[in-house]
């Protein structure tokens, strides 16, 4: 199979599945798509995933923007800016495999600890810290959802999805700009991300039944499960390098 065709078809299926997950839970597109796209064509990463990461939230916001927590997203974005800068330096100077192992372990520990608690405190300090960590991992690996999602795990489904959508849209755009400034955003990565956007739309359209199911009181369990799977995917991706 031609390399570009494989990226379109196999990568498209991964993006579709990730969009279904994110359409229901609020995050998950990067964790499903990033490892597979990295295996198919490492040269287009992390730019290609950042393109789809920026597109997916637009569909969510078009539906649920009124439920977004603007103040919370603002604190997270405040931490995200310096985190993105460090993530960009990681792309240039540090092994992302090492970073992926460390972050994967950290997320798994956080999932275990928070699963035993009623809720994670949601305030300026925790949101800024989560945004900072998300900036590092999101810019370096394309997987930046778990830190923010863990802070919002006790919120209602529409609020989680809308707030994370606002954060992911702006943060993905931020990462793309930083990668471009550093010369780490080739045109081929942008093109690869653009051809995968239709799969994002299809996945979002298919996520309606999942949203209704999770909004019946199952959101917190879903958030913790997806965060744990995300950490395992990041660990697997990093150890395979």
């Amino acid at each position: 199979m031609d390399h570009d065709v494989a990226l379109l078809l196999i990568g498209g299926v991964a993006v579709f599945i990730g969009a279904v997950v994110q359409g229901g839970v609020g995050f998950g597109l990067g964790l499903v798509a990033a490892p597979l796209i990295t295996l198919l064509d490492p040269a287009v990463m992390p730019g290609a995933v950042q393109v789809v990461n920026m597109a997916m939230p637009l569909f969510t916001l078009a539906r649920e923007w009124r439920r977004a927590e603007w103040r919370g997203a603002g604190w997270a974005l405040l931490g995200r800016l310096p985190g993105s800068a460090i993530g960009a330096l990681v792309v240039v100077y540090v092994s992302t495999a090492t970073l992926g192992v460390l972050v994967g372990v950290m997320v798994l520990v956080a999932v275990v600890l928070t699963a035993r608690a009623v809720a994670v405190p949601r305030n300026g300090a925790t949101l800024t810290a989560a945004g900072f960590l998300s900036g590092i991992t999101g810019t370096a690996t394309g997987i930046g959802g778990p830190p923010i999602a863990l802070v919002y795990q006790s919120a209602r489904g529409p609020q989680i999805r809308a707030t994370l959508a606002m954060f992911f849209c702006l943060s993905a755009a931020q990462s793309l700009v930083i990668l471009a400034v550093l010369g780490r955003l080739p045109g081929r990565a942008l093109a690869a991300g653009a051809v995968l956007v239709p799969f994002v739309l299809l996945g979002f359209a298919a996520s309606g039944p999942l949203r209704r199911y999770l909004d019946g009181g199952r959101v917190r369990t879903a958030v913790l499960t997806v965060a744990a799977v995300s950490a395992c995917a990041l660990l697997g991706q990093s150890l395979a390098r």
Side-chain angles (χ1 to χ4, degrees):
M1 183 184 294
D2 180 80
H3 179 77
D4 290 336
V5 174
L7 179 62
L8 175 63
L9 297 180
I10 301 175
V13 171
V15 168
F16 171 82
I17 295 172
V20 172
V21 174
Q22 183 158 322
V25 181
F27 73 111
L29 176 55
L31 81 90
V32 177
L36 188 53
I37 294 176
T38 300
L39 292 174
L40 290 170
D41 192 345
V44 302
M45 288 293 290
V49 167
Q50 292 297 355
V51 171
V52 295
N53 279 343
M54 187 173 67
M56 175 68 191
L58 297 177
F59 302 120
T60 300
L61 288 172
R63 181 186 179 91
E64 297 180 312
W65 65 271
R66 292 179 181 84
R67 304 302 299 272
E69 187 180 79
W70 298 85
R71 181 179 176 85
W75 281 114
L77 287 168
L78 181 66
R80 222 278 181 179
L81 182 59
S84 294
I86 294 176
L89 292 176
V90 168
V91 171
V92 177
Y93 297 111
V94 181
S95 166
T96 53
T98 300
L99 174 70
V101 171
L102 292 174
V103 173
V105 171
M106 288 171 57
V107 171
L108 284 176
V109 170
V111 168
V112 172
L113 292 177
T114 57
R116 301 176 63 86
V118 175
V120 175
R122 191 163 74 242
N123 52 47
T126 57
L127 285 167
T128 302
F132 177 75
L133 183 57
S134 177
I136 297 174
T137 61
T139 301
T141 69
I143 301 175
I148 298 294
L150 288 173
V151 177
Y152 271 96
Q153 62 179 280
S154 62
R156 298 181 67 84
Q159 184 184 39
I160 294 176
R161 292 191 294 267
T163 305
L164 294 188
M166 185 192 314
F167 173 77
F168 290 146
C169 184
L170 296 175
S171 59
Q174 183 187 93
S175 292
L176 286 170
V177 170
I178 291 175
L179 290 171
V181 168
L182 292 175
R184 296 286 174 156
L185 186 63
R188 189 161 176 275
L190 293 174
V195 299
L196 293 172
V197 169
F199 294 94
V200 175
L201 178 57
L202 291 173
F204 177 78
S207 67
L210 180 60
R211 283 195 299 273
R212 290 190 291 272
Y213 174 78
L214 294 177
D215 288 351
R218 306 174 181 88
V219 173
R220 184 170 184 266
T221 299
V223 167
L224 291 173
T225 300
V226 175
V229 172
S230 174
C232 292
L234 187 56
L235 282 169
Q237 173 185 332
S238 302
L239 292 172
R241 292 181 176 178

